[in-house]
Amino acid sequence: MSKISRFTGEVVTLAKNAVGGRGEYAAPQGGGGFA
């Protein structure tokens, strides 16, 4: 496994942990009023 691949895997894991299981989406159906 390359260094970039390992780094990417770690970043994805950390991002998922930071967001948690809130069930929220970046762009809710209908836009949600975000720009």
Side-chain angles (χ1 to χ4, degrees), residues 3-5 11 13 17-18 24:
K3 288 182 181 181
I4 291 176
S5 187
V11 169
T13 301
N17 289 338
E24 297 175 9

Side-chain angles (χ1 to χ4, degrees), residues 1-3 5-6 8 12-13 15-18 22 26 30-33:
M1 190 183 265
S2 72
K3 288 182 181 181
S5 187
R6 276 188 295 229
T8 303
V12 169
T13 301
K16 285 181 180 179
N17 289 338
R22 297 186 212 161

